Amino acid sequence: MTERSLADTRVAPDFIVIGAMRAGTTSIYEWLRSSGRVSLPDMKETDFFLTEENWSKGNDWLKARYNNLSLPMGDISPNYTKRDVWPTVSQRIHQTNPDAKLIFIVRDPVARAVSQYQMMSGMGLVPSNVENFLELDDGPHITDTSKYAWQLEPYLEYWSIEDIHIVDFSELKSDPFKTVNDILTFIGVEPLVEGFDVTKANASDSVNALPGWWGAFRASKFGTSLRARTPRKLINRAKQLVSNSSKTVTLNPISPEVKSELEELLRQDIEKFRRMTGRDFSNWSV
């Protein structure tokens, strides 16, 4: 068999970044793509393991998203650790490739939840003029996404914690080169020997840079379909143009009382996550 035909018979994906939302998955996507060591779809989030529409198309549909089947194929979606919405993701991943390498990027759980709310409010998906976003219909979902131990429990039915590479957002920010090389080593490919351009991360994707209509369009069926067919560099360029021509959205500050309530809601789970991973995450607020 030739190298190409061997690649054609391989199951995708070889590795998966399963989350978390607002923890740096876009940066990791851009940096891994620029490394030349792995193959990633032009669409950052295929969401193959989420929607029945994509899942029903089978593994051949997913493999068709990749331009180079001779490299390790990756799939990145922060939605893969939104257990309250999509509880069967871990089962589907294991069914597709039980040997897939998993990467979970985490962030101070309070800061992550606040960032998710601010992103959603900045895009017009939830009200921004509320005193306590935890009381919104989406409040429990935002909180649950920061419950990292709870999110990992379904994966631990199929993988051990040692088989899941945990990345702290603070490490990604302080030393992106080492973070990317650690991921490459975990995947089983040769690490980079030189640095890379950290500006390749999508700097225009800030929560207050894009107008509300962009979020609604992105979430629409047409927007999702268009993103699946549009090269990433064109998407980034469009977002930059839109953000440059839009008025900056002023985000309401989160009160200390709401942050304290959020800390209490998350404390038990994060203590369990520390025991689960054997890491102290001493820089976190809870």
Side-chain angles (χ1 to χ4, degrees):
M1 273 188 164
T2 65
E3 180 182 357
R4 178 67 182 179
S5 60
L6 281 170
D8 288 343
T9 64
R10 203 168 81 245
V11 174
D14 298 294
F15 69 94
I16 305 173
V17 178
I18 59 175
M21 184 180 191
R22 306 304 299 169
T25 58
T26 298
S27 295
I28 289 296
Y29 170 83
E30 298 289 359
W31 293 335
L32 287 176
R33 272 173 64 89
S34 68
S35 74
R37 298 286 201 268
V38 300
S39 182
L40 291 169
D42 283 340
M43 182 183 185
K44 176 201 163 191
E45 298 167 23
T46 67
D47 287 343
F48 174 67
F49 299 100
L50 301 183
T51 66
E52 293 300 327
E53 180 182 3
N54 287 352
W55 174 250
S56 64
K57 294 174 182 177
N59 195 253
D60 287 342
W61 176 88
L62 180 60
K63 287 175 67 176
R65 306 304 103 195
Y66 298 90
N67 296 320
N68 189 342
L69 298 182
S70 66
L71 294 174
M73 294 175 285
D75 188 21
I76 298 177
S77 176
N79 292 324
Y80 290 161
T81 41
K82 292 183 178 178
R83 177 184 174 184
D84 57 313
V85 184
W86 293 289
T88 62
V89 172
S90 60
Q91 179 183 351
R92 287 178 171 181
I93 292 175
H94 188 263
Q95 178 181 332
T96 302
N97 186 1
D99 297 321
K101 302 287 189 179
L102 305 182
I103 298 103
F104 189 31
I105 308 174
V106 294
R107 178 181 181 180
D108 180 310
V110 173
R112 194 222 61 80
V114 169
S115 180
Q116 181 179 347
Y117 164 68
Q118 290 180 329
M119 182 199 73
M120 294 174 70
S121 64
M123 297 173 76
L125 302 177
V126 296
S128 58
N129 58 342
V130 294
E131 291 185 5
N132 188 347
F133 73 88
L134 299 174
E135 296 176 354
L136 295 172
D137 289 344
D138 286 292
H141 167 67
I142 293 172
T143 303
D144 284 346
T145 306
S146 277
K147 292 181 178 178
Y148 303 140
W150 186 73
Q151 293 291 350
L152 278 189
E153 283 173 354
Y155 288 94
L156 295 178
E157 294 180 17
Y158 305 102
W159 288 268
S160 71
I161 192 64
E162 290 77 20
D163 293 326
I164 304 174
H165 183 60
I166 307 294
V167 178
D168 188 352
F169 179 72
S170 63
E171 300 167 348
L172 183 152
K173 288 189 67 177
S174 64
D175 196 343
F177 182 67
K178 181 179 185 303
T179 299
V180 170
N181 266 346
D182 286 346
I183 291 174
L184 292 174
T185 300
F186 176 74
I187 294 169
V189 301
E190 196 72 24
L192 300 168
V193 294
E194 295 180 349
F196 52 85
D197 184 5
V198 296
T199 62
K200 283 187 177 293
N202 193 3
S204 68
D205 194 21
S206 63
V207 296
N208 61 340
L210 296 165
W213 63 260
W214 179 274
F217 172 75
R218 185 181 187 277
S220 70
K221 186 173 183 179
F222 177 72
T224 300
S225 176
L226 185 64
R227 287 190 297 119
R229 293 168 172 78
T230 305
R232 184 71 184 181
K233 62 182 179 181
L234 293 183
I235 294 175
N236 288 346
R237 179 57 178 159
K239 292 167 80 172
Q240 184 179 30
L241 290 173
V242 169
S243 64
N244 288 344
S245 62
S246 301
K247 294 181 179 179
T248 299
V249 176
T250 301
L251 301 174
N252 291 337
I254 306 300
S255 71
E257 291 77 16
V258 173
K259 286 186 177 180
S260 294
E261 181 180 351
L262 186 54
E263 288 173 3
E264 288 308 308
L265 289 171
L266 294 172
R267 191 176 307 281
Q268 185 175 353
D269 178 90
I270 296 307
E271 288 175 356
K272 182 176 181 180
F273 184 66
R274 287 188 170 101
R275 294 193 300 270
M276 181 184 288
T277 60
R279 297 177 59 174
D280 57 17
F281 300 104
S282 58
N283 57 311
W284 287 0
S285 58
V286 61

